[in-house]
Protein backbone atom coordinates (compact mmCIF):
# COMPACT_ATOMS: atom_id res chain seq x y z
CA UNK A 1 0.00 0.00 0.00
CA UNK A 2 1.23 3.46 -0.72
CA UNK A 3 0.20 7.05 -0.85
CA UNK A 4 1.17 9.36 -3.66
CA UNK A 5 1.63 13.12 -3.72
CA UNK A 6 2.72 15.38 -6.58
CA UNK A 7 4.36 18.78 -6.32
CA UNK A 8 2.99 21.31 -8.77
CA UNK A 9 1.09 24.50 -9.54
CA UNK A 10 0.30 26.08 -12.89
CA UNK A 11 3.33 26.58 -15.13
CA UNK A 12 3.83 30.27 -14.49
CA UNK A 13 6.77 32.39 -13.47
CA UNK A 14 6.66 32.55 -9.64
CA UNK A 15 6.46 35.82 -7.77
CA UNK A 16 9.91 36.04 -6.22
CA UNK A 17 9.19 38.91 -3.86
CA UNK A 18 6.01 38.05 -1.92
CA UNK A 19 6.44 35.30 0.67
CA UNK A 20 3.80 33.33 2.53
CA UNK A 21 4.36 33.91 6.29
CA UNK A 22 5.07 30.23 7.00
CA UNK A 23 7.54 29.99 4.12
CA UNK A 24 9.29 33.06 5.45
CA UNK A 25 9.30 31.63 8.99
CA UNK A 26 11.01 28.39 7.94
CA UNK A 27 13.46 30.26 5.67
CA UNK A 28 12.31 29.06 2.26
CA UNK A 29 14.22 31.13 -0.36
CA UNK A 30 12.19 33.62 -2.44
CA UNK A 31 13.26 31.82 -5.64
CA UNK A 32 11.46 28.64 -4.54
CA UNK A 33 8.36 27.63 -6.47
CA UNK A 34 5.80 24.86 -6.83
CA UNK A 35 5.39 25.56 -10.55
CA UNK A 36 6.19 22.41 -12.50
CA UNK A 37 9.39 22.92 -14.55
CA UNK A 38 8.89 22.94 -18.31
CA UNK A 39 11.43 20.13 -18.70
CA UNK A 40 9.06 17.52 -17.24
CA UNK A 41 5.52 16.73 -18.42
CA UNK A 42 3.99 16.36 -14.95
CA UNK A 43 4.84 17.13 -11.33
CA UNK A 44 7.27 15.01 -9.35
CA UNK A 45 5.47 12.41 -7.25
CA UNK A 46 6.19 11.40 -3.68
CA UNK A 47 5.14 7.83 -2.90
CA UNK A 48 4.91 6.93 0.79
CA UNK A 49 5.34 3.31 1.85
CA UNK A 50 5.62 1.41 5.12
CA UNK A 51 8.97 -0.16 5.87
CA UNK A 52 8.68 -3.91 5.42
CA UNK A 53 8.83 -4.82 9.11
CA UNK A 54 5.92 -2.49 9.87
CA UNK A 55 3.79 -4.13 7.21
CA UNK A 56 4.59 -7.53 8.70
CA UNK A 57 3.40 -6.27 12.10
CA UNK A 58 0.07 -5.36 10.50
CA UNK A 59 0.43 -1.60 10.88
CA UNK A 60 -1.38 0.61 8.37
CA UNK A 61 0.20 3.45 6.43
CA UNK A 62 -2.88 5.56 7.13
CA UNK A 63 -2.06 5.40 10.86
CA UNK A 64 1.21 7.24 10.24
CA UNK A 65 0.82 9.34 7.08
CA UNK A 66 -1.99 11.79 6.35
CA UNK A 67 -2.06 13.70 3.07
CA UNK A 68 -3.99 16.84 3.95
CA UNK A 69 -4.49 18.40 0.53
CA UNK A 70 -7.79 17.61 -1.24
CA UNK A 71 -7.46 15.94 -4.61
CA UNK A 72 -9.22 18.07 -7.29
CA UNK A 73 -9.89 14.92 -9.30
CA UNK A 74 -11.97 13.29 -6.56
CA UNK A 75 -15.64 13.94 -5.99
CA UNK A 76 -16.25 16.78 -3.53
CA UNK A 77 -12.49 17.47 -3.38
CA UNK A 78 -12.05 14.76 -0.79
CA UNK A 79 -8.65 13.61 0.39
CA UNK A 80 -7.49 10.15 -0.65
CA UNK A 81 -6.23 7.48 1.71
CA UNK A 82 -4.27 5.59 -0.92
CA UNK A 83 -3.15 7.55 -3.98
CA UNK A 84 -3.30 11.31 -4.39
CA UNK A 85 -1.97 13.75 -6.95
CA UNK A 86 -1.38 16.99 -5.06
CA UNK A 87 -1.60 20.15 -7.14
CA UNK A 88 -1.40 22.64 -4.29
CA UNK A 89 -0.66 23.17 -0.61
CA UNK A 90 -3.18 23.33 2.23
CA UNK A 91 -2.18 27.02 2.28
CA UNK A 92 -3.16 27.61 -1.35
CA UNK A 93 -6.32 29.47 -0.38
CA UNK A 94 -4.12 32.19 1.10
CA UNK A 95 -3.75 35.46 -0.83
CA UNK A 96 -0.03 34.71 -0.94
CA UNK A 97 0.64 31.40 -2.74
CA UNK A 98 2.96 29.04 -0.85
CA UNK A 99 6.31 28.18 -2.38
CA UNK A 100 6.84 24.73 -0.87
CA UNK A 101 5.25 21.51 0.31
CA UNK A 102 5.88 20.81 4.01
CA UNK A 103 6.16 17.39 5.66
CA UNK A 104 5.84 17.38 9.43
CA UNK A 105 3.87 16.40 12.52
CA UNK A 106 1.80 19.59 12.93
CA UNK A 107 -1.61 19.15 11.34
CA UNK A 108 -2.22 22.88 10.86
CA UNK A 109 0.87 23.51 8.72
CA UNK A 110 1.94 20.18 7.20
CA UNK A 111 0.70 19.27 3.74
CA UNK A 112 1.79 15.72 4.47
CA UNK A 113 1.49 14.83 8.16
CA UNK A 114 3.73 12.09 9.57
CA UNK A 115 2.53 11.08 13.02
CA UNK A 116 5.70 9.88 14.71
CA UNK A 117 7.59 11.17 17.74
CA UNK A 118 10.86 11.57 15.80
CA UNK A 119 9.22 13.88 13.22
CA UNK A 120 9.21 17.61 14.00
CA UNK A 121 6.21 19.90 13.61
CA UNK A 122 7.74 21.17 10.37
CA UNK A 123 10.34 18.65 9.37
CA UNK A 124 11.14 18.86 5.65
CA UNK A 125 10.23 21.11 2.71
CA UNK A 126 10.10 20.29 -1.01
CA UNK A 127 10.18 22.87 -3.80
CA UNK A 128 11.50 23.50 -7.30
CA UNK A 129 14.22 25.89 -8.38
CA UNK A 130 13.53 26.89 -11.94
CA UNK A 131 16.20 27.34 -14.59
CA UNK A 132 14.65 30.10 -16.67
CA UNK A 133 17.62 30.60 -18.98
CA UNK A 134 17.98 26.84 -19.38
CA UNK A 135 14.90 24.83 -18.30
CA UNK A 136 17.02 21.69 -18.26
CA UNK A 137 18.86 23.07 -15.24
CA UNK A 138 15.69 23.08 -13.10
CA UNK A 139 16.10 21.27 -9.78
CA UNK A 140 14.00 19.72 -7.06
CA UNK A 141 15.20 20.97 -3.68
CA UNK A 142 14.74 19.10 -0.39
CA UNK A 143 15.30 21.30 2.66
CA UNK A 144 15.73 20.12 6.23
CA UNK A 145 13.83 22.39 8.64
CA UNK A 146 16.05 21.89 11.69
CA UNK A 147 14.43 18.94 13.46
CA UNK A 148 16.43 16.94 15.99
CA UNK A 149 16.18 13.65 14.12
CA UNK A 150 16.96 14.92 10.65
CA UNK A 151 16.06 14.32 7.02
CA UNK A 152 17.72 11.53 5.02
CA UNK A 153 18.09 11.33 1.24
CA UNK A 154 19.32 7.98 -0.08
CA UNK A 155 20.42 7.09 3.49
CA UNK A 156 22.54 10.22 3.81
CA UNK A 157 21.53 12.72 6.50
CA UNK A 158 21.26 16.34 5.41
CA UNK A 159 23.00 18.94 7.51
CA UNK A 160 20.71 20.70 9.96
CA UNK A 161 18.74 23.36 8.03
CA UNK A 162 20.65 22.33 4.93
CA UNK A 163 19.38 21.49 1.45
CA UNK A 164 20.09 19.05 -1.31
CA UNK A 165 19.46 19.99 -4.94
CA UNK A 166 18.37 17.08 -7.11
CA UNK A 167 18.56 17.41 -10.90
CA UNK A 168 15.45 16.30 -12.72
CA UNK A 169 17.73 14.55 -15.22
CA UNK A 170 21.07 12.86 -14.84
CA UNK A 171 24.00 13.86 -17.07
CA UNK A 172 23.04 11.24 -19.66
CA UNK A 173 19.42 12.33 -19.75
CA UNK A 174 18.07 9.47 -17.65
CA UNK A 175 15.64 10.00 -14.78
CA UNK A 176 17.11 9.60 -11.31
CA UNK A 177 14.74 8.75 -8.46
CA UNK A 178 15.56 9.02 -4.76
CA UNK A 179 14.35 7.75 -1.38
CA UNK A 180 13.71 10.15 1.53
CA UNK A 181 13.27 9.32 5.22
CA UNK A 182 12.03 11.57 8.02
CA UNK A 183 13.68 10.99 11.39
CA UNK A 184 13.06 7.45 12.63
CA UNK A 185 9.54 7.22 11.24
CA UNK A 186 8.89 3.66 9.93
CA UNK A 187 8.08 4.87 6.41
CA UNK A 188 9.96 5.72 3.25
CA UNK A 189 9.18 8.40 0.69
CA UNK A 190 10.12 7.48 -2.87
CA UNK A 191 10.45 10.22 -5.50
CA UNK A 192 9.09 9.51 -8.95
CA UNK A 193 10.27 11.96 -11.61
CA UNK A 194 8.40 11.78 -14.94
CA UNK A 195 10.50 11.40 -18.05
CA UNK A 196 11.62 14.78 -19.32
CA UNK A 197 10.33 16.39 -22.49
CA UNK A 198 13.08 16.17 -25.12
CA UNK A 199 13.68 18.13 -28.31
CA UNK A 200 16.33 17.89 -31.03
CA UNK A 201 18.08 20.96 -29.67
CA UNK A 202 18.22 19.85 -26.04
CA UNK A 203 21.50 20.16 -24.25
CA UNK A 204 21.28 17.77 -21.32
CA UNK A 205 24.46 18.87 -19.55
CA UNK A 206 22.89 18.68 -16.12
CA UNK A 207 25.10 18.48 -13.06
CA UNK A 208 25.00 16.02 -10.20
CA UNK A 209 23.00 16.62 -7.06
CA UNK A 210 24.62 18.99 -4.62
CA UNK A 211 24.18 19.47 -0.90
CA UNK A 212 24.17 22.91 0.69
CA UNK A 213 24.40 23.89 4.33
CA UNK A 214 21.88 26.71 4.60
CA UNK A 215 23.48 28.96 7.19
CA UNK A 216 20.72 31.56 7.10
CA UNK A 217 18.37 28.94 8.52
CA UNK A 218 20.40 28.47 11.69
CA UNK A 219 17.95 30.55 13.67
CA UNK A 220 15.25 27.88 13.31
CA UNK A 221 14.46 26.13 16.56
CA UNK A 222 14.30 22.38 16.84
CA UNK A 223 10.85 21.08 17.44
Amino acid sequence: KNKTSSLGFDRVHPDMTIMHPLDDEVCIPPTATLSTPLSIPAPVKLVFELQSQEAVKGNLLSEIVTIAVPNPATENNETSTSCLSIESSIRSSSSTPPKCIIVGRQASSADIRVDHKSVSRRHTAFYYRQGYDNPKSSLLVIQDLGGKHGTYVDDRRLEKNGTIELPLLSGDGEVENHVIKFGNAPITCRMEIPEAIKTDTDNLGVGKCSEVNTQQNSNLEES
Side-chain angles (χ1 to χ4, degrees), residues 67-215:
I67 299 176
V69 183
N71 184 353
T74 61
E75 188 175 351
N76 299 323
N77 271 2
E78 296 177 349
T79 55
S80 170
T81 58
S82 58
C83 184
L84 179 67
S85 179
I86 296 179
E87 298 177 359
S88 61
S89 163
I90 58 173
R91 299 171 286 139
S92 294
S93 59
S94 166
S95 59
T96 306
K99 293 179 176 289
C100 69
I101 291 287
I102 291 178
V103 176
R105 200 179 69 248
Q106 186 178 50
S108 62
S109 60
D111 300 292
I112 302 168
R113 184 171 182 247
V114 180
D115 188 10
H116 192 267
K117 61 183 179 181
S118 70
V119 175
S120 300
R121 294 177 303 127
R122 300 137 185 192
H123 197 94
T124 308
F126 293 82
Y127 53 87
Y128 296 112
R129 195 185 71 176
Q130 300 273 24
Y132 291 105
D133 295 333
N134 177 12
K136 298 301 180 185
S137 66
S138 296
L139 302 165
L140 177 69
V141 181
I142 302 174
Q143 180 171 324
D144 179 79
L145 298 181
K148 179 178 180 180
H149 298 283
T151 301
Y152 296 79
V153 179
D154 299 330
D155 292 323
R156 181 178 178 182
R157 182 169 178 167
L158 300 187
E159 292 193 30
K160 184 177 178 180
N161 301 311
T163 65
I164 186 168
E165 299 175 339
L166 303 173
L168 299 177
L169 287 177
S170 66
D172 59 4
E174 297 297 322
V175 168
E176 289 188 351
N177 294 315
H178 303 271
V179 175
I180 302 97
K181 296 180 182 179
F182 312 98
N184 301 317
I187 60 168
T188 57
C189 173
R190 177 167 45 86
M191 276 177 45
E192 290 187 355
I193 304 175
E195 186 174 355
I197 300 171
K198 298 179 181 180
T199 67
D200 293 337
T201 58
D202 282 346
N203 178 4
L204 298 178
V206 181
K208 297 181 179 179
C209 65
S210 60
E211 189 172 346
V212 180
N213 181 18
T214 313
Q215 296 294 337

